[in-house]
C-alpha cells in the first residue's frame, strides 16, 4: 500500500509537471541573480565596449562625430587584419598562441602549471590551472600595445611580447 501511494504521488508530480513547464514556456524563466564577480565582469566588458569602442554612444553623437568614429573603427580594423595576416600566417600558429598564453599566465605558488587542449567536432576546449584574468588583463586584451606582461613581468621572462590582444 505504501508503494502504491508513492507511485500515485509520483504520478501526481508528473501530471503537474506539464502545467508548470507550460507556464515556464509562456512566461519565460527568470534569470538567476548574477554573482558579485559576474556583475563586475559584465561592468568591465561594458566599460570597454563604451569607452574604447564607443558602442552605444552613436545615437548621442552629432553626425560628423559618428562619421569620424566609424572611420576610426574601420581604420583600426583594417590595420589589425593586416598585422594579424603578416604575423600569424601559419595554420598552426593558434596552438602556439594557446601554449604561449598558458606560459604567460600567473599560477598559485607551489602549483605546477598545466594546460589541456581538446578538439571536438564542435569546439576547441582550452583549460589551464592559472589564477585567472583580472580586469586589467581583459582591458589589455582589447587593446594594442597595452600588454600587462611587459609592466608586470619583473624577472620572469614572458613568452608573449608583441602586445597584441
Amino acid at each position: 500500500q505504501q508503494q502504491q501511494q508513492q507511485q500515485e504521488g509520483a504520478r501526481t508530480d508528473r501530471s503537474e509537471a506539464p502545467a508548470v513547464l507550460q507556464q515556464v514556456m509562456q512566461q519565460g524563466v527568470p534569470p538567476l541573480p548574477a554573482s558579485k564577480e559576474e556583475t563586475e565582469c559584465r561592468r568591465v566588458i561594458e566599460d570597454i565596449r563604451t569607452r574604447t569602442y564607443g558602442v552605444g554612444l552613436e545615437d548621442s553623437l552629432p553626425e560628423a562625430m559618428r562619421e569620424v568614429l566609424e572611420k576610426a573603427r574601420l581604420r583600426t580594423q583594417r590595420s589589425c587584419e593586416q598585422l594579424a595576416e603578416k604575423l600569424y600566417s601559419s595554420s598552426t600558429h593558434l596552438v602556439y598562441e594557446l601554449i604561449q598564453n598558458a606560459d604567460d599566465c600567473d599560477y598559485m605558488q607551489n602549483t605546477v602549471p598545466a594546460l589541456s587542449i581538446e578538439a571536438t567536432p564542435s569546439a576547441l576546449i582550452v583549460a589551464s590551472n592559472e589564477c585567472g584574468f583580472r580586469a586589467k588583463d581583459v582591458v589589455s586584451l582589447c587593446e594594442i600595445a597595452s600588454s600587462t606582461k611587459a609592466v608586470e613581468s619583473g624577472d620572469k621572462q614572458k613568452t608573449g611580447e608583441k602586445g597584441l590582444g
Side-chain angles (χ1 to χ4, degrees), residues 56-118:
L57 298 178
E58 295 91 347
D59 294 338
S60 65
L61 296 174
E63 180 65 28
M65 288 300 294
R66 285 197 297 261
E67 288 177 16
V68 169
L69 181 60
E70 184 59 23
K71 285 179 182 177
R73 279 187 192 152
L74 292 172
R75 185 173 39 257
T76 302
Q77 180 180 345
R78 287 190 308 270
S79 298
C80 289
E81 287 170 357
Q82 284 276 321
L83 188 59
E85 281 179 29
K86 290 179 180 167
L87 286 174
Y88 308 126
S89 58
S90 167
S91 62
T92 58
H93 193 81
L94 172 65
V95 176
Y96 172 77
E97 285 289 328
L98 295 171
I99 294 168
Q100 171 187 301
N101 288 346
D103 183 51
D104 287 343
C105 289
D106 291 324
Y107 295 89
M108 297 293 290
Q109 192 172 3
N110 300 323
T111 298
V112 176
L115 173 68
S116 168
I117 302 174
E118 179 183 351

Side-chain angles (χ1 to χ4, degrees), residues 21-28:
L21 183 59
Q22 199 169 32
Q23 180 182 5
V24 167
M25 289 171 56
Q26 288 173 352
Q27 298 175 359

Side-chain angles (χ1 to χ4, degrees), residues 120-140:
T120 71
S122 61
L124 181 64
I125 303 165
V126 181
S128 74
N129 60 342
E130 56 135 342
C131 293
F133 278 1
R134 300 161 295 179
K136 62 184 172 181
D137 298 323
V138 176
V139 170
S140 175

Side-chain angles (χ1 to χ4, degrees), residues 145-159:
S146 181
S147 176
T148 56
K149 294 175 192 176
V151 174
E152 298 176 358
S153 63
D155 293 335
K156 183 182 176 194
Q157 179 71 24
K158 295 287 189 177
T159 306

Side-chain angles (χ1 to χ4, degrees), residues 26-38:
Q26 288 173 352
Q27 298 175 359
V29 178
L32 294 173
S35 68
K36 244 176 122 172
E37 185 177 85
E38 184 179 342

